């Protein structure tokens, strides 16, 4: 198993390199940069712009800039030293990118993790409930509603949630805390944070709940027709125990392999939800950096998102190898 995980980690490196290379190329192909916008300010001299362009290497070809960016990001220091990885400097925020990225990275992780908890806490019980009432109007109605949920675009759902929050006033719009949160007692501040988190997490989880419920229902319905289930019923085991002790236990393993993929999908979707709903995470940071053409912030945001995405896929592969005997480690 250890060898399998190491192999998967080694295979992830070319993927991350490819993502950063293509991202860097596309960003530098766009006309102008942050210094071009800055040069429009009459209070900034052309000599200062030229000096900054030379200092940050922006006057060199894109592949040389990418090589310098990779070198700064690596822990290797020429010729035989070791250094802390450097993500560069944010032109628009005037601070090191690592400082800017640290808080936003955790905000995205909190939002995605909360949505993942909501999905697994709600989807499995709903799946069991539908199996227990299979081929009834409740099953048909809920399945139709779930199909509608899968078909709903995430951006439209986010906009509707914002409209709902604005009309009812039940949820705050944007941000993580009230402006006076620093003056509140700890538990009040924590409750205010959960209040701000609830709506974005619910929007992010909605589609994945519908997907996982359909998977759970389908997996358990397949298991319901197995020989051991018919044997249990023939022995007089109650329907509640048949579903809870036999069907659910034998259906849960394939669902566990979806955990990593669910997390990876949530990270991708969280970028859109953050931008629309004003959650200060990596997606919002990348969007602002793209508008201001802040090269290093945009590259750091995309790289952090790619790392989280491949980490989710790695978890999915490991879970699949652990719980599916058809997957070989070698």
């Amino acid at each position: 198993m250890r060898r399998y995980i190491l192999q998967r980690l080694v295979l992830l490196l070319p993927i991350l390199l490819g993502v950063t290379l293509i991202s860097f190329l596309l960003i530098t192909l766009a006309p102008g940069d942050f210094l071009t916008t800055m040069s429009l300010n009459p209070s900034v001299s052309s000599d200062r712009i030229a000096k900054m362009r030379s200092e940050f290497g922006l006057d060199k070809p894109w592949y040389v800039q990418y090589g310098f960016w990779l070198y700064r990001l690596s822990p290797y220091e020429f010729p035989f030293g070791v250094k802390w990885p450097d993500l560069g400097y944010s032109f628009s925020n005037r601070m090191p990118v690592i400082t800017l990225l640290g808080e936003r990275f955790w905000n995205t992780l909190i939002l995605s993790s909360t949505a993942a908890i909501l999905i697994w806490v709600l989807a499995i019980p709903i799946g069991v409930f539908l199996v227990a009432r299979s081929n009834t109007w409740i099953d048909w109605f809920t399945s139709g509603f779930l199909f509608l949920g899968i078909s709903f675009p995430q951006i439209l759902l986010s906009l509707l949630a914002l409209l709902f929050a604005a009309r009812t006033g039940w949820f705050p719009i944007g941000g993580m805390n009230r402006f006076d949160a620093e003056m509140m007692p700890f538990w009040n501040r924590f409750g205010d944070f959960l209040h701000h988190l609830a709506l974005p997490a619910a929007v992010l989880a909605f589609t994945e709940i519908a997907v996982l419920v359909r998977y759970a229902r389908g997996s358990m319905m397949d298991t319901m027709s197995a020989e051991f289930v018919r044997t249990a019923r023939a022995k007089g085991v109650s329907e509640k125990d048949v579903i809870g002790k036999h069907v659910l236990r034998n259906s849960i393993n394939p669902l566990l392999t979806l955990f990593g993929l669910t997390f990876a999908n949530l990270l991708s979707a969280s970028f859109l939800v953050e931008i629309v709903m004003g959650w200060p995470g990596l997606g919002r940071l990348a969007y602002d950096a793209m508008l201001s053409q802040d090269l290093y912030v945009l590259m750091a945001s995309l790289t952090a998102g790619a790392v989280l995405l491949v980490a989710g896929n790695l978890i999915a592969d490991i879970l699949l190898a652990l719980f599916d005997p058809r997957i070989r480690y070698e």
Side-chain angles (χ1 to χ4, degrees):
M1 187 63 186
R2 187 180 302 173
R3 184 178 175 184
Y4 175 80
I5 294 174
L6 286 175
Q7 286 177 342
R8 297 295 303 156
L9 285 173
V10 170
L11 288 175
L12 292 181
L13 289 178
I15 295 174
L16 287 176
L17 277 175
V19 169
T20 57
L21 177 63
I22 293 172
S23 301
F24 202 95
L25 174 61
L26 292 176
I27 293 170
T28 51
L29 281 178
D33 53 28
F34 180 80
L35 295 181
T36 306
T37 308
M38 192 175 174
S39 65
L40 299 177
N41 187 345
S43 64
V44 182
S45 66
S46 57
D47 291 341
R48 185 183 173 192
I49 296 293
K51 184 180 178 183
M52 290 179 69
R53 194 176 293 282
S54 176
E55 284 179 354
F56 290 106
L58 299 178
D59 55 346
K60 295 182 172 53
W62 72 269
Y63 47 87
V64 177
Q65 294 181 42
Y66 178 68
F68 283 151
W69 180 79
L70 269 186
Y71 173 70
R72 284 196 296 268
L73 188 63
S74 72
Y76 167 72
E77 184 170 19
F78 183 81
F80 304 109
V82 178
K83 62 178 178 61
W84 287 104
D86 179 14
L87 293 174
Y89 188 80
S90 169
F91 302 118
S92 56
N93 295 281
R94 299 181 181 180
M95 64 171 62
V97 175
I98 188 70
T99 306
L100 194 62
L101 193 70
E103 183 183 347
R104 300 299 187 93
F105 179 87
W106 289 112
N107 292 346
T108 294
L109 201 59
I110 289 171
L111 178 62
S112 301
S113 302
T114 306
I117 292 171
L118 280 176
I119 291 167
W120 286 87
V121 166
L122 295 176
I124 301 299
I126 293 174
V128 172
F129 176 79
L130 293 181
V131 169
R133 288 160 179 75
S134 58
N135 298 322
T136 64
W137 72 269
I138 296 177
D139 182 28
W140 298 331
F141 175 79
T142 310
S143 297
F145 182 74
L146 293 174
F147 183 76
L148 182 66
I150 294 172
S151 310
F152 229 69
Q154 197 92 45
I155 188 168
L156 183 59
L157 193 63
S158 303
L159 292 172
L160 288 175
L162 279 181
L163 182 63
F164 174 76
R167 287 290 180 89
T168 62
W170 293 350
F171 295 97
I173 300 175
M176 293 178 62
N177 289 106
R178 289 171 44 170
F179 66 92
D180 58 347
E182 293 295 329
M183 303 173 64
M184 299 166 67
F186 173 77
W187 288 111
N188 290 358
R189 193 164 67 244
F190 183 66
D192 179 60
F193 168 73
L194 293 179
H195 191 202
H196 281 75
L197 176 63
L199 197 58
V203 169
L204 191 57
F206 182 78
T207 305
E208 291 296 329
I209 287 176
V211 172
L212 190 59
V213 168
R214 285 177 64 86
Y215 270 112
R217 183 187 177 281
S219 178
M220 283 187 280
M221 289 301 289
D222 288 341
T223 310
M224 288 283 276
S225 59
E227 291 287 341
F228 67 89
V229 174
R230 285 200 290 268
T231 304
R233 282 175 171 158
K235 288 182 176 180
V237 178
S238 67
E239 192 66 17
K240 180 181 176 183
D241 287 343
V242 167
I243 294 176
K245 293 182 179 178
H246 298 280
V247 176
L248 180 59
R249 286 182 181 178
N250 285 279
S251 306
I252 201 72
N253 284 354
L255 298 178
L256 288 176
T257 61
L258 294 174
F259 176 80
L261 293 176
T262 302
F263 196 68
N265 292 337
L266 285 176
L267 290 168
S268 302
S270 67
F271 271 48
L272 181 63
V273 173
E274 287 174 7
I275 293 170
V276 176
M277 305 194 71
W279 182 260
L282 284 177
R284 187 73 200 182
L285 182 66
Y287 178 71
D288 292 339
M290 186 172 60
L291 292 181
S292 60
Q293 294 185 301
D294 203 339
L295 172 65
Y296 300 124
V297 175
L298 186 54
M299 278 303 299
S301 303
L302 294 175
T303 304
V307 168
L308 290 173
L309 197 62
V310 296
N313 283 304
L314 177 64
I315 293 172
D317 289 344
I318 293 173
L319 290 174
L320 197 62
L322 280 174
F323 294 104
D324 193 337
R326 294 169 297 183
I327 303 298
R328 293 174 60 87
Y329 295 156
E330 304 297 333

